[in-house]
Amino acid sequence: MDPGIAAIMRFGIHRSGVLRPEALHDWTRQLFARFRPRVPFGLAVVELPWLRLRLVRDSDITWQHLAASCAIPLGFPPVAIQGTRYVDGGLRGGLPLWAAEEMGATRAVALDVLNTPGFRMLHKALRWRDPGPALQLARIEPSSRLGSLRDAVVWSAERVTRWVAQGEIDGTRAATSITM
């Protein structure tokens, strides 16, 4: 809901994308300095050029890992960490339930906004890792299309308010089926 977040999406062509990284890196530094998870926490990144999925956990996470988890290919550039370049884990799995399993989860509530036919085809083509059968999953998906790619990168108070309201409706509907 913060319009200041829109400033992170600054256009500027570079050799690996169209969004300038400086504001994103400043924001992730501030976020990392101000907040520490109180529960076990992990994030998924993809190592380039090999496209290997990596789970980074708890005290191993740095502000660079946070920035890498936002480095969307062709948008923000990869983030170098100890000589290796990383991008958002969504490149290899938009919903990293495998990571939750690897961290010991046996039950999960997952918000899946990448559920359009194009993302479903990408899921199959890139062989995204699915969770094993032992993970009890309650999946929440939008009941109507959220918008275009442009809608995702151009901040609008009206659009964000609509998304939050839709999420509340969809989450409430899904909550009736969650028996955790």
Side-chain angles (χ1 to χ4, degrees):
M1 299 298 289
D2 179 1
I5 296 299
I8 291 173
M9 306 291 253
R10 291 188 190 151
F11 288 96
I13 305 292
H14 51 82
R15 67 185 177 117
S16 58
V18 297
L19 298 171
R20 297 180 53 87
E22 297 85 6
L24 172 66
H25 292 183
D26 288 344
W27 179 72
T28 55
R29 279 186 198 98
Q30 291 172 28
L31 188 65
F32 184 77
R34 291 175 44 207
F35 301 103
R36 300 293 172 171
R38 294 185 182 141
V39 297
F41 180 77
L43 58 84
V45 291
V46 172
E47 179 185 330
L48 299 178
W50 313 113
L51 299 180
R52 281 186 271 230
L53 277 166
R54 298 284 187 227
L55 173 61
V56 187
R57 297 176 64 166
D58 303 313
S59 63
D60 292 335
I61 297 170
T62 66
W63 74 265
Q64 291 97 330
H65 292 100
L66 293 178
S69 72
C70 299
I72 301 163
L74 304 178
F76 290 112
V79 176
I81 304 169
Q82 298 179 344
T84 302
R85 296 178 320 129
Y86 296 93
V87 295
D88 178 34
L91 177 64
R92 289 285 319 278
L95 195 59
L97 295 168
W98 65 270
E101 258 187 326
E102 196 168 305
M103 291 181 68
T106 56
R107 299 180 295 185
V109 176
L111 175 60
D112 187 0
V113 298
L114 302 178
N115 64 342
T116 62
F119 278 107
R120 290 181 197 268
M121 285 181 8
L122 188 61
H123 179 120
K124 290 192 184 312
L126 291 178
R127 295 187 202 128
W128 287 352
R129 280 177 66 182
D130 287 323
L135 185 67
Q136 294 177 7
L137 178 62
R139 186 183 303 254
I140 302 171
E141 296 182 328
S143 55
S144 62
R145 191 165 186 273
L146 296 176
S148 68
L149 180 58
R150 181 185 183 282
D151 292 340
V153 288
V154 178
W155 191 87
S156 156
E158 178 184 331
R159 192 170 27 251
V160 171
T161 300
R162 180 176 53 82
W163 290 342
V164 169
Q166 182 177 340
E168 186 175 354
I169 291 166
D170 294 337
T172 301
R173 185 185 70 243
T176 61
S177 68
I178 298 172
T179 58
M180 296 186 161

